[in-house]
Amino acid sequence: MNDSPDARKKDRQAAALLASASIIVAFAIYWSLEIQAVREMLELAYG
Amino acid sequence: MAIPFGRTLACALLLAVGLGFALSNARVEAWQALLPLFEWMETTLFGVIGKTWGGVFAVVQAGHLLSMAMLGGAVLAADGRLLGVLFRDQPLAAVQAQAHRVFVWSLVVVVFTGVFMACGVAIKIYYLPVFWYKMLALLVGVLFAFLVRRPLLADDPETLSPLVRRVVAVASIMVWFTVAATGRWIGFSG
């Protein structure tokens, strides 16, 4: 098993990429759904 | 003996568990089980003060908003530097270290004042979906800041891949923007 500083750094970068990409995708989906809900509400209210 | 890519595997496992929880009936069961806690919160000293004296609630809320502003400033300074758009004449590690100190202190005040405010309106927020989105964003933000972002930037952040730096900065800004926006949303609900 390789526990060199280089391997540790690669692990931290991979974990950061995975976590960040998941956050960006999840929050982009959440906000797009919220914006869609507001648009539908405005269409119902004002046509 | 360390597992290769142990941190990445732990991160993937945590994401899988979170997704499983969100998509299963366990989420609803946990929500129902938390109702007695929220009912009790309204009966605590914080709950009674928050409901009885509007002035105290307003002062604590002002502290909450100011500490949120400080937290947002720390996030923007640190992530702006990571993106290479702010404080470009300052060393990356120095900006990260100083912004993290402000971030930690403002987070402590945000959580403390937030708990006080939540006690005053516990039953109202229990039934607000946006409150739970805020709590989820806060949990994700704290885990991300202390278990992913901080260790990543701990040793020589200048040598990190520019792609990783940018993606981490965008994710961090997105999480804390959501915490702030959903917080204001609670304020304007019901």
Side-chain angles (χ1 to χ4, degrees), chain B residues 40-54:
Chain B
W40 170 78
M41 280 165 69
E42 284 210 357
T43 66
T44 60
L45 183 65
F46 281 179
V48 173
I49 293 174
K51 276 190 294 189
T52 314
W53 291 286

Side-chain angles (χ1 to χ4, degrees), chain A residues 8 11 13 21 29 35 37-38 40-42 45-46:
Chain A
R8 215 166 41 232
D11 183 21
Q13 291 206 48
I29 291 171
I35 291 166
V38 170
E40 282 170 8
M41 190 92 82
L42 287 172
Y46 301 105

Side-chain angles (χ1 to χ4, degrees), chain A residues 27-39:
Chain A
F27 284 72
I29 291 171
Y30 171 71
W31 282 112
S32 61
L33 289 175
E34 290 298 348
I35 291 166
Q36 195 184 335
V38 170
R39 286 182 64 162

